[in-house]
Amino acid sequence: MKLTRPVGRQPGRSCLEQTQVGDLGRLNREPPGVRGTRAASRFSSWSSWPRENRSSFGQVGSFTNRSVADAAAAGIHACHDAGMQVIVVGAGQVGLTVVKSLAEEHDCTVIDIDKARLDAVSHAYDVRITQGSGARRETLLQAGVADADLVLACTSRDEVNLVTAMLARRLSSARTVVRATEMDYLAAWRAGDLDVDLLVSTAFETSSAVARVLDVPGARHVDFFADGEVVVLGLDVPETKPPQFADRPLRDADLPAASRVVAIVRGGSRIRPTAHEAVRPGDRVIVMASLPAARTWSRLVTGADPIDDIALFGAGRAGTAIARMLLDKGIHVRLIEPDTARAHAAAEALDRAQVFHATGLDSAFLRRERIGAARAAVCASGDDSRNLHAAVLAKVHGVEVTLTILRDPAAAEVFEAAGVDVTVDPGDETAEKMVRFTFAEHTHQMAMLEDDRFEVHAITVRPGSRFAHRPVDALPGADVGALVRDSRVFFPDGEDELRPGDRAILLTEPERVPAIKRDL
């Protein structure tokens, strides 16, 4: 990732200097005369974990969340993933995604104030339901909190979630996982001021997802495993100008080193990547690779190079969090916000960003400020129709990669049909992080791909595993893309064997996960 020179506050100038351009203004941080021309487990007690370890939990330094194994190394354990008594508070999008992931293996009770939501979730999954507020003692007791192993507070209201967790602490020995929308709560939790086992910030998880995608541009999906040393990426193979390895058997294809194909998705179906199989134009290929190899894959398949300059539409909670994370990675950010107060607040808070007070939907503005020279556009206005307009307009003006933050997950198909490259669903990102807390100790990390049709897991091979000392391709129903052995990552061929203590990073279907965990 190239570093761009940050544009700081100029001596003798106001932090917020607005240049009027017709009915639009720009919050200018550049030197005079320069105008937008740069292209650029069980926690016995959370307090028992040293604060220096907690402060880095979930950060993006390696672009991945700290694993359960890392927590265990510090004397902390996540919940065991054999059947638990789980209470999920909130049956909205995040809560439903959590229930979908947990209901098959765990005894789940769902709490919500909305009877229609409860009826929908009880018809879809084998769960108990309790109508009421999770922030009320009586509701939690009625839901069986006294016998619960885990309480996940997933509502859209931060204060309700925190009160729920506080009550659960008082009424039971259950571990608590809390969803928060405000970044301030994440900072307070990291500082040890909130007594919950895990706090998941929607803004932080969304920002992390954006950062991962921009780190390997052109990919439809990006996740990082093994402290950032293994990249899981999904790439669409173009039907026009396909890469040279297309239509060649994988054994004969000239593929990047330090990588392994783990799945080919064709016509909505998964095809196992045997040596005789070939990647065809129109396929989606899922690869595990080192970061340099992942970028090589992206360049071979999509022609995309690393991104060092973006246009960001929207300075709300999500947009500001995204801007801050990308600035910290050395990416030049042009932030466009139509609301005057928000634009001023962003300019004060983000002194390295160029902040424009503008709608972003005016072609004259985009041409004048050369927004089309940005390598990527991230649309995070909180309004799907506005995001769609901004993304399509950015493409028209020459932006290579467009990425949108969804408000309504059902809009993803519309964005894809309109040519938007990547959509990020904040609810899914949040739910996935919350679900990770239920893993057994030998399960380090997981990620969900392709609308949850596939899962990637990092699982340690136990000494008694019946697949220990057998080839990686002998594991039924899964494709192993990477192994971590003695702190070293490598990408096996089919004959490399699994050894006790190896961390196997593998792709499979959700219904196969329990059997694979038992086998390993």
mmCIF file of all heavy atoms in Angstrom, residues 3-8 10 26 28-40 308-311 332-334 352-354 356 368-375:
data_model
loop_
_atom_site.group_PDB
_atom_site.id
_atom_site.type_symbol
_atom_site.label_atom_id
_atom_site.label_comp_id
_atom_site.label_asym_id
_atom_site.label_seq_id
_atom_site.Cartn_x
_atom_site.Cartn_y
_atom_site.Cartn_z
ATOM 1 N N LEU A 3 2.007 5.014 0.590
ATOM 2 C CA LEU A 3 1.654 6.036 1.554
ATOM 3 C C LEU A 3 1.550 7.370 0.834
ATOM 4 O O LEU A 3 2.383 7.712 0.000
ATOM 5 C CB LEU A 3 2.717 6.122 2.654
ATOM 6 C CG LEU A 3 2.875 4.881 3.509
ATOM 7 C CD1 LEU A 3 3.976 5.104 4.542
ATOM 8 C CD2 LEU A 3 1.582 4.543 4.206
ATOM 9 N N THR A 4 0.520 8.127 1.150
ATOM 10 C CA THR A 4 0.376 9.446 0.568
ATOM 11 C C THR A 4 0.703 10.486 1.613
ATOM 12 O O THR A 4 0.530 10.256 2.806
ATOM 13 C CB THR A 4 -1.057 9.681 0.070
ATOM 14 O OG1 THR A 4 -1.947 9.522 1.169
ATOM 15 C CG2 THR A 4 -1.421 8.687 -1.012
ATOM 16 N N ARG A 5 1.179 11.610 1.187
ATOM 17 C CA ARG A 5 1.540 12.662 2.128
ATOM 18 C C ARG A 5 0.285 13.252 2.733
ATOM 19 O O ARG A 5 -0.591 13.752 2.027
ATOM 20 C CB ARG A 5 2.315 13.769 1.397
ATOM 21 C CG ARG A 5 2.808 14.850 2.343
ATOM 22 C CD ARG A 5 3.641 15.851 1.597
ATOM 23 N NE ARG A 5 2.880 16.498 0.550
ATOM 24 C CZ ARG A 5 3.391 17.396 -0.274
ATOM 25 N NH1 ARG A 5 4.655 17.713 -0.201
ATOM 26 N NH2 ARG A 5 2.634 17.962 -1.200
ATOM 27 N N PRO A 6 0.146 13.203 4.069
ATOM 28 C CA PRO A 6 -1.043 13.790 4.668
ATOM 29 C C PRO A 6 -1.055 15.298 4.501
ATOM 30 O O PRO A 6 -0.005 15.940 4.488
ATOM 31 C CB PRO A 6 -0.930 13.398 6.148
ATOM 32 C CG PRO A 6 0.523 13.164 6.365
ATOM 33 C CD PRO A 6 1.071 12.661 5.062
ATOM 34 N N VAL A 7 -2.246 15.826 4.343
ATOM 35 C CA VAL A 7 -2.403 17.269 4.212
ATOM 36 C C VAL A 7 -2.786 17.813 5.569
ATOM 37 O O VAL A 7 -3.875 17.578 6.072
ATOM 38 C CB VAL A 7 -3.488 17.615 3.175
ATOM 39 C CG1 VAL A 7 -3.623 19.109 3.016
ATOM 40 C CG2 VAL A 7 -3.127 16.974 1.842
ATOM 41 N N GLY A 8 -1.899 18.511 6.230
ATOM 42 C CA GLY A 8 -2.142 18.996 7.580
ATOM 43 C C GLY A 8 -2.714 20.397 7.582
ATOM 44 O O GLY A 8 -2.898 21.045 6.559
ATOM 45 N N GLN A 10 -2.714 24.281 7.911
ATOM 46 C CA GLN A 10 -1.726 25.272 7.505
ATOM 47 C C GLN A 10 -1.587 26.349 8.574
ATOM 48 O O GLN A 10 -2.563 26.783 9.176
ATOM 49 C CB GLN A 10 -2.147 25.915 6.176
ATOM 50 C CG GLN A 10 -2.242 24.901 5.057
ATOM 51 C CD GLN A 10 -0.962 24.142 4.871
ATOM 52 O OE1 GLN A 10 0.104 24.733 4.779
ATOM 53 N NE2 GLN A 10 -1.033 22.819 4.836
ATOM 54 N N ARG A 26 -16.348 23.741 -0.177
ATOM 55 C CA ARG A 26 -15.349 22.729 0.090
ATOM 56 C C ARG A 26 -14.613 23.082 1.363
ATOM 57 O O ARG A 26 -14.219 24.228 1.553
ATOM 58 C CB ARG A 26 -14.375 22.649 -1.059
ATOM 59 C CG ARG A 26 -13.248 21.676 -0.783
ATOM 60 C CD ARG A 26 -12.469 21.473 -2.037
ATOM 61 N NE ARG A 26 -11.072 21.645 -1.746
ATOM 62 C CZ ARG A 26 -10.164 21.796 -2.670
ATOM 63 N NH1 ARG A 26 -10.527 21.871 -3.921
ATOM 64 N NH2 ARG A 26 -8.911 21.910 -2.358
ATOM 65 N N ASN A 28 -11.464 23.094 3.010
ATOM 66 C CA ASN A 28 -10.168 23.005 2.369
ATOM 67 C C ASN A 28 -9.064 22.876 3.394
ATOM 68 O O ASN A 28 -8.954 23.684 4.292
ATOM 69 C CB ASN A 28 -9.960 24.289 1.538
ATOM 70 C CG ASN A 28 -8.784 24.177 0.610
ATOM 71 O OD1 ASN A 28 -7.993 23.262 0.732
ATOM 72 N ND2 ASN A 28 -8.689 25.116 -0.306
ATOM 73 N N ARG A 29 -8.221 21.846 3.237
ATOM 74 C CA ARG A 29 -7.087 21.668 4.128
ATOM 75 C C ARG A 29 -5.776 21.811 3.375
ATOM 76 O O ARG A 29 -4.737 21.465 3.905
ATOM 77 C CB ARG A 29 -7.133 20.280 4.758
ATOM 78 C CG ARG A 29 -8.346 20.110 5.572
ATOM 79 C CD ARG A 29 -8.230 18.895 6.420
ATOM 80 N NE ARG A 29 -9.351 18.831 7.314
ATOM 81 C CZ ARG A 29 -9.461 19.577 8.389
ATOM 82 N NH1 ARG A 29 -8.518 20.405 8.718
ATOM 83 N NH2 ARG A 29 -10.518 19.498 9.153
ATOM 84 N N GLU A 30 -5.801 22.219 2.146
ATOM 85 C CA GLU A 30 -4.578 22.221 1.343
ATOM 86 C C GLU A 30 -3.918 23.592 1.369
ATOM 87 O O GLU A 30 -4.539 24.598 1.667
ATOM 88 C CB GLU A 30 -4.920 21.843 -0.101
ATOM 89 C CG GLU A 30 -5.526 20.458 -0.187
ATOM 90 C CD GLU A 30 -5.994 20.144 -1.568
ATOM 91 O OE1 GLU A 30 -6.355 21.071 -2.285
ATOM 92 O OE2 GLU A 30 -5.990 18.983 -1.926
ATOM 93 N N PRO A 31 -2.631 23.643 0.999
ATOM 94 C CA PRO A 31 -1.938 24.922 0.912
ATOM 95 C C PRO A 31 -2.591 25.820 -0.123
ATOM 96 O O PRO A 31 -3.264 25.344 -1.041
ATOM 97 C CB PRO A 31 -0.521 24.514 0.474
ATOM 98 C CG PRO A 31 -0.391 23.066 0.840
ATOM 99 C CD PRO A 31 -1.767 22.500 0.714
ATOM 100 N N PRO A 32 -2.426 27.142 -0.007
ATOM 101 C CA PRO A 32 -3.015 28.052 -0.990
ATOM 102 C C PRO A 32 -2.612 27.664 -2.405
ATOM 103 O O PRO A 32 -1.473 27.299 -2.671
ATOM 104 C CB PRO A 32 -2.426 29.408 -0.587
ATOM 105 C CG PRO A 32 -2.068 29.254 0.867
ATOM 106 C CD PRO A 32 -1.655 27.830 1.027
ATOM 107 N N GLY A 33 -3.578 27.720 -3.290
ATOM 108 C CA GLY A 33 -3.318 27.457 -4.703
ATOM 109 C C GLY A 33 -3.463 26.010 -5.103
ATOM 110 O O GLY A 33 -3.422 25.694 -6.283
ATOM 111 N N VAL A 34 -3.601 25.101 -4.129
ATOM 112 C CA VAL A 34 -3.766 23.697 -4.457
ATOM 113 C C VAL A 34 -5.238 23.342 -4.337
ATOM 114 O O VAL A 34 -5.854 23.575 -3.313
ATOM 115 C CB VAL A 34 -2.932 22.817 -3.496
ATOM 116 C CG1 VAL A 34 -3.149 21.345 -3.813
ATOM 117 C CG2 VAL A 34 -1.470 23.170 -3.597
ATOM 118 N N ARG A 35 -5.839 22.770 -5.374
ATOM 119 C CA ARG A 35 -7.273 22.496 -5.344
ATOM 120 C C ARG A 35 -7.556 21.090 -5.871
ATOM 121 O O ARG A 35 -7.783 20.886 -7.043
ATOM 122 C CB ARG A 35 -8.045 23.520 -6.175
ATOM 123 C CG ARG A 35 -8.013 24.910 -5.589
ATOM 124 C CD ARG A 35 -8.888 25.858 -6.394
ATOM 125 N NE ARG A 35 -10.190 25.303 -6.685
ATOM 126 C CZ ARG A 35 -11.186 25.234 -5.805
ATOM 127 N NH1 ARG A 35 -11.023 25.672 -4.585
ATOM 128 N NH2 ARG A 35 -12.347 24.722 -6.156
ATOM 129 N N GLY A 36 -7.489 20.133 -4.987
ATOM 130 C CA GLY A 36 -7.981 18.792 -5.316
ATOM 131 C C GLY A 36 -7.306 18.127 -6.480
ATOM 132 O O GLY A 36 -7.919 17.360 -7.196
ATOM 133 N N THR A 37 -6.029 18.375 -6.696
ATOM 134 C CA THR A 37 -5.382 17.791 -7.865
ATOM 135 C C THR A 37 -4.608 16.532 -7.519
ATOM 136 O O THR A 37 -4.097 15.870 -8.403
ATOM 137 C CB THR A 37 -4.404 18.806 -8.491
ATOM 138 O OG1 THR A 37 -3.448 19.197 -7.500
ATOM 139 C CG2 THR A 37 -5.158 20.019 -8.974
ATOM 140 N N ARG A 38 -4.515 16.170 -6.191
ATOM 141 C CA ARG A 38 -3.767 14.973 -5.848
ATOM 142 C C ARG A 38 -4.586 13.715 -6.130
ATOM 143 O O ARG A 38 -5.698 13.588 -5.691
ATOM 144 C CB ARG A 38 -3.404 14.982 -4.358
ATOM 145 C CG ARG A 38 -2.351 15.984 -3.993
ATOM 146 C CD ARG A 38 -1.868 15.693 -2.580
ATOM 147 N NE ARG A 38 -0.899 16.679 -2.165
ATOM 148 C CZ ARG A 38 -1.225 17.819 -1.590
ATOM 149 N NH1 ARG A 38 -2.478 18.129 -1.396
ATOM 150 N NH2 ARG A 38 -0.295 18.671 -1.228
ATOM 151 N N ALA A 39 -3.980 12.817 -6.861
ATOM 152 C CA ALA A 39 -4.637 11.528 -7.039
ATOM 153 C C ALA A 39 -4.030 10.549 -6.025
ATOM 154 O O ALA A 39 -2.851 10.323 -5.986
ATOM 155 C CB ALA A 39 -4.452 11.030 -8.456
ATOM 156 N N ALA A 40 -4.404 10.456 -5.691
ATOM 157 C CA ALA A 40 -3.787 9.618 -4.761
ATOM 158 C C ALA A 40 -4.301 8.106 -4.784
ATOM 159 O O ALA A 40 -4.947 7.806 -5.709
ATOM 160 C CB ALA A 40 -4.129 10.233 -3.368
ATOM 161 N N ASP A 308 -4.498 3.827 -3.198
ATOM 162 C CA ASP A 308 -3.921 4.785 -2.256
ATOM 163 C C ASP A 308 -4.707 6.092 -2.204
ATOM 164 O O ASP A 308 -4.284 7.051 -1.554
ATOM 165 C CB ASP A 308 -2.455 5.071 -2.597
ATOM 166 C CG ASP A 308 -2.270 5.599 -4.015
ATOM 167 O OD1 ASP A 308 -3.291 5.873 -4.697
ATOM 168 O OD2 ASP A 308 -1.119 5.733 -4.454
ATOM 169 N N ASP A 309 -5.861 6.147 -2.880
ATOM 170 C CA ASP A 309 -6.634 7.393 -2.935
ATOM 171 C C ASP A 309 -8.101 7.030 -3.127
ATOM 172 O O ASP A 309 -8.450 6.336 -4.077
ATOM 173 C CB ASP A 309 -6.130 8.248 -4.103
ATOM 174 C CG ASP A 309 -6.899 9.545 -4.258
ATOM 175 O OD1 ASP A 309 -7.514 9.995 -3.276
ATOM 176 O OD2 ASP A 309 -6.879 10.118 -5.366
ATOM 177 N N ILE A 310 -8.980 7.492 -2.216
ATOM 178 C CA ILE A 310 -10.397 7.156 -2.350
ATOM 179 C C ILE A 310 -11.265 8.401 -2.224
ATOM 180 O O ILE A 310 -10.870 9.394 -1.598
ATOM 181 C CB ILE A 310 -10.854 6.123 -1.305
ATOM 182 C CG1 ILE A 310 -10.908 6.748 0.103
ATOM 183 C CG2 ILE A 310 -10.002 4.880 -1.316
ATOM 184 C CD1 ILE A 310 -11.990 6.188 0.960
ATOM 185 N N ALA A 311 -12.454 8.324 -2.791
ATOM 186 C CA ALA A 311 -13.519 9.294 -2.539
ATOM 187 C C ALA A 311 -14.532 8.610 -1.626
ATOM 188 O O ALA A 311 -14.970 7.495 -1.908
ATOM 189 C CB ALA A 311 -14.175 9.723 -3.845
ATOM 190 N N HIS A 332 -5.109 8.325 1.035
ATOM 191 C CA HIS A 332 -5.624 9.690 0.892
ATOM 192 C C HIS A 332 -7.147 9.643 0.762
ATOM 193 O O HIS A 332 -7.682 8.924 -0.084
ATOM 194 C CB HIS A 332 -5.005 10.341 -0.345
ATOM 195 C CG HIS A 332 -5.455 11.744 -0.581
ATOM 196 N ND1 HIS A 332 -5.650 12.258 -1.835
ATOM 197 C CD2 HIS A 332 -5.767 12.744 0.278
ATOM 198 C CE1 HIS A 332 -6.054 13.515 -1.751
ATOM 199 N NE2 HIS A 332 -6.118 13.834 -0.468
ATOM 200 N N VAL A 333 -7.850 10.389 1.598
ATOM 201 C CA VAL A 333 -9.310 10.341 1.649
ATOM 202 C C VAL A 333 -9.894 11.698 1.283
ATOM 203 O O VAL A 333 -9.532 12.720 1.859
ATOM 204 C CB VAL A 333 -9.797 9.942 3.064
ATOM 205 C CG1 VAL A 333 -11.321 10.018 3.145
ATOM 206 C CG2 VAL A 333 -9.318 8.533 3.417
ATOM 207 N N ARG A 334 -10.804 11.693 0.300
ATOM 208 C CA ARG A 334 -11.615 12.876 -0.016
ATOM 209 C C ARG A 334 -13.030 12.580 0.462
ATOM 210 O O ARG A 334 -13.701 11.711 -0.076
ATOM 211 C CB ARG A 334 -11.619 13.153 -1.506
ATOM 212 C CG ARG A 334 -10.246 13.068 -2.158
ATOM 213 C CD ARG A 334 -10.352 13.464 -3.605
ATOM 214 N NE ARG A 334 -9.335 12.832 -4.415
ATOM 215 C CZ ARG A 334 -9.147 13.107 -5.695
ATOM 216 N NH1 ARG A 334 -9.931 13.981 -6.300
ATOM 217 N NH2 ARG A 334 -8.206 12.505 -6.385
ATOM 218 N N ARG A 352 -6.422 15.106 8.422
ATOM 219 C CA ARG A 352 -5.630 14.674 7.263
ATOM 220 C C ARG A 352 -6.485 14.439 6.025
ATOM 221 O O ARG A 352 -5.956 14.119 4.960
ATOM 222 C CB ARG A 352 -4.879 13.383 7.607
ATOM 223 C CG ARG A 352 -3.748 13.576 8.606
ATOM 224 C CD ARG A 352 -3.166 12.240 9.015
ATOM 225 N NE ARG A 352 -4.101 11.467 9.809
ATOM 226 C CZ ARG A 352 -3.976 10.156 10.053
ATOM 227 N NH1 ARG A 352 -2.984 9.484 9.521
ATOM 228 N NH2 ARG A 352 -4.877 9.539 10.795
ATOM 229 N N ALA A 353 -7.791 14.557 6.151
ATOM 230 C CA ALA A 353 -8.687 14.318 5.019
ATOM 231 C C ALA A 353 -9.023 15.630 4.321
ATOM 232 O O ALA A 353 -9.043 16.695 4.932
ATOM 233 C CB ALA A 353 -9.966 13.647 5.500
ATOM 234 N N GLN A 354 -9.307 15.546 3.032
ATOM 235 C CA GLN A 354 -9.951 16.645 2.318
ATOM 236 C C GLN A 354 -11.451 16.479 2.514
ATOM 237 O O GLN A 354 -12.010 15.425 2.177
ATOM 238 C CB GLN A 354 -9.659 16.582 0.818
ATOM 239 C CG GLN A 354 -8.277 17.041 0.401
ATOM 240 C CD GLN A 354 -8.168 16.927 -1.104
ATOM 241 O OE1 GLN A 354 -7.690 15.925 -1.616
ATOM 242 N NE2 GLN A 354 -8.624 17.935 -1.814
ATOM 243 N N PHE A 356 -15.253 17.929 1.697
ATOM 244 C CA PHE A 356 -16.037 18.774 0.807
ATOM 245 C C PHE A 356 -17.469 18.865 1.325
ATOM 246 O O PHE A 356 -18.081 17.838 1.643
ATOM 247 C CB PHE A 356 -16.086 18.190 -0.609
ATOM 248 C CG PHE A 356 -14.751 18.077 -1.295
ATOM 249 C CD1 PHE A 356 -13.966 16.954 -1.108
ATOM 250 C CD2 PHE A 356 -14.291 19.089 -2.117
ATOM 251 C CE1 PHE A 356 -12.743 16.826 -1.741
ATOM 252 C CE2 PHE A 356 -13.064 18.976 -2.751
ATOM 253 C CZ PHE A 356 -12.292 17.847 -2.565
ATOM 254 N N ARG A 368 -14.912 19.163 -11.591
ATOM 255 C CA ARG A 368 -14.091 20.281 -11.102
ATOM 256 C C ARG A 368 -13.069 19.803 -10.058
ATOM 257 O O ARG A 368 -11.903 20.215 -10.070
ATOM 258 C CB ARG A 368 -14.997 21.345 -10.511
ATOM 259 C CG ARG A 368 -14.273 22.577 -9.993
ATOM 260 C CD ARG A 368 -15.250 23.686 -9.646
ATOM 261 N NE ARG A 368 -16.306 23.244 -8.754
ATOM 262 C CZ ARG A 368 -17.591 23.097 -9.096
ATOM 263 N NH1 ARG A 368 -17.989 23.342 -10.337
ATOM 264 N NH2 ARG A 368 -18.494 22.707 -8.221
ATOM 265 N N GLU A 369 -13.500 18.931 -9.183
ATOM 266 C CA GLU A 369 -12.608 18.469 -8.120
ATOM 267 C C GLU A 369 -11.879 17.181 -8.492
ATOM 268 O O GLU A 369 -11.185 16.598 -7.660
ATOM 269 C CB GLU A 369 -13.400 18.263 -6.825
ATOM 270 C CG GLU A 369 -14.093 19.516 -6.319
ATOM 271 C CD GLU A 369 -13.122 20.659 -6.040
ATOM 272 O OE1 GLU A 369 -11.912 20.391 -5.874
ATOM 273 O OE2 GLU A 369 -13.585 21.816 -5.993
ATOM 274 N N ARG A 370 -12.038 16.744 -9.734
ATOM 275 C CA ARG A 370 -11.334 15.567 -10.252
ATOM 276 C C ARG A 370 -11.539 14.342 -9.366
ATOM 277 O O ARG A 370 -10.608 13.580 -9.090
ATOM 278 C CB ARG A 370 -9.845 15.872 -10.407
ATOM 279 C CG ARG A 370 -9.562 17.043 -11.337
ATOM 280 C CD ARG A 370 -8.091 17.245 -11.562
ATOM 281 N NE ARG A 370 -7.838 18.405 -12.411
ATOM 282 C CZ ARG A 370 -6.632 18.805 -12.788
ATOM 283 N NH1 ARG A 370 -5.562 18.121 -12.402
ATOM 284 N NH2 ARG A 370 -6.490 19.863 -13.546
ATOM 285 N N ILE A 371 -12.771 14.137 -8.935
ATOM 286 C CA ILE A 371 -13.090 12.987 -8.102
ATOM 287 C C ILE A 371 -12.870 11.682 -8.877
ATOM 288 O O ILE A 371 -12.522 10.652 -8.306
ATOM 289 C CB ILE A 371 -14.539 13.080 -7.586
ATOM 290 C CG1 ILE A 371 -14.725 14.350 -6.747
ATOM 291 C CG2 ILE A 371 -14.919 11.847 -6.785
ATOM 292 C CD1 ILE A 371 -13.837 14.446 -5.526
ATOM 293 N N GLY A 372 -13.036 11.745 -10.182
ATOM 294 C CA GLY A 372 -12.822 10.553 -10.997
ATOM 295 C C GLY A 372 -11.398 10.046 -10.977
ATOM 296 O O GLY A 372 -11.143 8.898 -11.366
ATOM 297 N N ALA A 373 -10.452 10.874 -10.511
ATOM 298 C CA ALA A 373 -9.065 10.419 -10.418
ATOM 299 C C ALA A 373 -8.834 9.529 -9.210
ATOM 300 O O ALA A 373 -7.787 8.876 -9.107
ATOM 301 C CB ALA A 373 -8.126 11.631 -10.348
ATOM 302 N N ALA A 374 -9.778 9.486 -8.280
ATOM 303 C CA ALA A 374 -9.649 8.592 -7.129
ATOM 304 C C ALA A 374 -9.692 7.150 -7.604
ATOM 305 O O ALA A 374 -10.412 6.803 -8.537
ATOM 306 C CB ALA A 374 -10.768 8.853 -6.127
ATOM 307 N N ARG A 375 -8.924 6.276 -6.953
ATOM 308 C CA ARG A 375 -8.882 4.878 -7.361
ATOM 309 C C ARG A 375 -10.142 4.118 -6.964
ATOM 310 O O ARG A 375 -10.498 3.104 -7.570
ATOM 311 C CB ARG A 375 -7.660 4.203 -6.718
ATOM 312 C CG ARG A 375 -6.323 4.704 -7.248
ATOM 313 C CD ARG A 375 -6.085 4.226 -8.677
ATOM 314 N NE ARG A 375 -6.417 2.821 -8.807
ATOM 315 C CZ ARG A 375 -5.680 1.815 -8.331
ATOM 316 N NH1 ARG A 375 -4.565 2.062 -7.683
ATOM 317 N NH2 ARG A 375 -6.065 0.568 -8.517
#
